């Protein structure tokens, strides 16, 4: 199936209707974030990082369109 | 020697028997002179109006295993270690139970001790794992690492 | 709270069961968040023409217990610890077996880790304990700490 | 019984005929050491510290005459 796979973790997962869902292809992570904020406004109040295909990203990153995107709140293991 | 990512996750608490068995397993490695072990234990912290009774751990498992592998490789590169083991709980771990077990072994103490300390820091900071504190009064609270 | 010198010496090797039991005993102390453990293990070092098969430990026991007590008090003074345990073998400990077990517990990891490291250094430097390496070829060699 | 009690440990104990023995009263630890070296010349080749009543001493120390004196080679525990 075409499109991005978005996975949410920790407290983010509790704020979204689903923990894992498909999302339409975006050019880059900034566009993706804008769309996610638009769709799920309560994300704006939350602190999280993005991982693209399991790699944390620090800046706007181009997307092919079939990546696995993870929304990661601050880690609290151990 | 090529190493591959290996599972670090344990369902539920890490038992003292598991720790003992892990220590015992090293008795055949007679070039080891020093073991350093760190154990994380779930605290009954007071939260507004209640107290923690357990922590429920979840992880982005695939990423966490890959990250743990990278950290392992970096630590093996930096320190002269014989062995390194990392175990982290998933699911519910009650207060007083062990949720993290980090174990380094070396010929001399300094390497084992320094490597263990750095491993614990990196695990806490870099592994995509989350703890949700379950309170006595049924409230929940997402843990924040300090 | 007044503490008195307590025995730190164990006849022969320290078993992994003893270590497990010691860890297990702390599960009721739910203000503990971190344990740091150091284990010394006897190495099969090569010596000229042979190899170490065991170390035989002796001590000036009265002085060692008094000194261990002073070190304990100083470490409790310096670090915010919940518990501290020290066990050292006397008599013969074979290669691969555990001869030293140091165990510190605290609310947070930094205190437990730093206290454990300092304890190990002080124990090695200040306790009147001697190890005689027993070699495979029946020679003996007095151990030198580095 | 009058006099000092001398205890030897580690490799020192192997170099002396007995591990623990009585020794005549001396004014201070320097005099005691001189007498011990005189009685047991092979002590001169060995590295050791003195403890008086279980306290390590760093310099010449007066003696009452009934102290417990320990000859301690470099520690090698752990």
């Amino acid at each position: 199936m075409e499109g991005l796979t978005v996975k949410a973790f920790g407290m983010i997962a509790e704020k979204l209707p689903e923990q894992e869902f498909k999302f339409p292809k975006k050019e880059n992570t900034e566009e993706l974030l804008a769309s996610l904020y638009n769709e799920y406004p309560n994300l704006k109040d939350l602190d999280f990082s993005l991982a693209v295909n399991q790699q944390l990203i620090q800046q706007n990153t181009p997307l092919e369109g079939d990546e696995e995107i993870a929304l990661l709140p601050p880690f609290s293991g151990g | 020697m090529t190493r591959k990512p290996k599972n670090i996750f344990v369902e539920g608490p890490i038992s003292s028997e598991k720790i003992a068995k892990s220590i015992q397993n090293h008795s055949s490695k007679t070039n080891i002179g020093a073991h350093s072990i760190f154990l994380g234990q779930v605290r009954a912290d007071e939260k507004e109006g209640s107290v923690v009774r357990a922590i429920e751990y979840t992880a982005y498992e695939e990423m966490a295993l890959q990250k743990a592998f990278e950290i392992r490789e970096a630590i093996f590169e930096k320190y002269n270690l014989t062995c390194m083991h990392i175990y982290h709980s998933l699911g519910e771990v009650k207060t007083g139970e062990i949720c993290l077990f980090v174990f380094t072994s070396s010929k001399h103490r300094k390497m084992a001790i320094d490597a263990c300390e750095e491993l614990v820091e990196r695990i806490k900071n870099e592994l995509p794992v989350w703890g949700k504190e379950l309170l006595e009064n049924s409230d929940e609270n997402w843990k924040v690492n300090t």
Side-chain angles (χ1 to χ4, degrees), chain A, chain B:
Chain A
M1 187 177 134
E2 267 295 298
L4 302 166
T5 303
V6 179
K7 292 183 171 187
F9 293 92
M11 73 159 52
I12 310 284
E14 293 185 344
K15 305 289 185 176
L16 297 179
E18 285 179 295
Q19 202 175 334
E20 181 174 340
F21 53 92
K22 286 289 181 182
F23 207 76
K25 178 175 183 337
K26 300 289 162 189
E27 284 302 308
N28 53 50
T29 50
E30 249 174 38
E31 281 190 21
L32 169 64
L33 268 179
S35 297
L36 284 169
Y37 285 141
N38 196 48
E39 191 107 351
Y40 308 107
N42 57 353
L43 274 183
K44 288 180 196 164
D45 304 327
L46 300 171
D47 177 19
F48 63 91
S49 306
L50 282 188
V52 175
N53 289 339
Q54 301 170 25
Q55 294 291 329
L56 270 184
I57 60 158
Q58 312 290 344
Q59 54 196 16
N60 190 20
T61 301
L63 296 171
E64 295 287 328
D66 58 353
E67 282 91 346
E68 178 172 299
I69 308 292
L71 313 185
L72 309 174
F75 307 154
S76 57
Chain B
M1 172 168 55
T2 317
R3 283 176 287 255
K4 286 191 192 170
K6 54 181 189 178
N7 193 21
I8 65 165
F9 290 115
V10 173
E11 195 57 36
I14 297 161
S15 70
S16 55
E17 289 76 18
K18 182 183 177 73
I19 298 163
K21 194 155 179 294
S22 191
I23 294 167
Q24 187 59 43
N25 284 344
H26 291 75
S27 64
S28 58
K29 302 200 174 176
T30 56
N31 57 336
I32 293 175
H35 302 290
S36 186
I37 294 174
F38 179 85
L39 302 173
Q41 181 169 305
V42 174
R43 283 197 313 271
D45 279 359
E46 284 187 36
K47 299 287 156 176
E48 42 179 328
S50 191
V51 112
V52 174
R53 68 163 183 83
I55 294 180
E56 188 185 333
Y57 288 102
T58 52
Y60 185 9
E61 290 191 48
E62 307 90 309
M63 180 176 162
L65 295 182
Q66 180 58 36
K67 195 72 202 170
F69 175 66
E70 290 169 24
I71 294 172
R72 267 178 73 83
E73 292 298 295
I75 298 279
F76 264 124
E77 188 77 21
K78 182 168 174 185
Y79 298 97
N80 196 0
L81 296 182
T82 314
C83 301
M84 185 193 314
H85 302 280
I86 303 169
Y87 299 100
H88 196 298
S89 293
L90 288 183
E92 194 174 313
V93 182
K94 294 186 179 59
T95 52
E97 293 181 330
I98 305 294
C99 58
L100 175 61
F101 171 26
V102 177
F103 188 2
T104 54
S105 307
S106 183
K107 189 170 181 194
H108 297 292
R109 65 187 180 280
K110 181 131 186 65
M111 284 288 166
I113 290 171
D114 290 352
C116 189
E117 180 167 12
E118 186 169 332
L119 256 182
V120 172
E121 289 305 311
R122 294 198 61 178
I123 288 166
K124 291 248 183 188
N125 291 328
E126 299 178 38
L127 288 197
V129 176
W130 299 272
K132 182 161 71 172
E133 294 168 337
L134 310 178
L135 308 186
E136 292 286 3
N137 67 0
S138 301
D139 277 359
E140 298 176 348
N141 184 50
W142 286 95
K143 183 170 170 264
V144 177
N145 275 2
T146 47

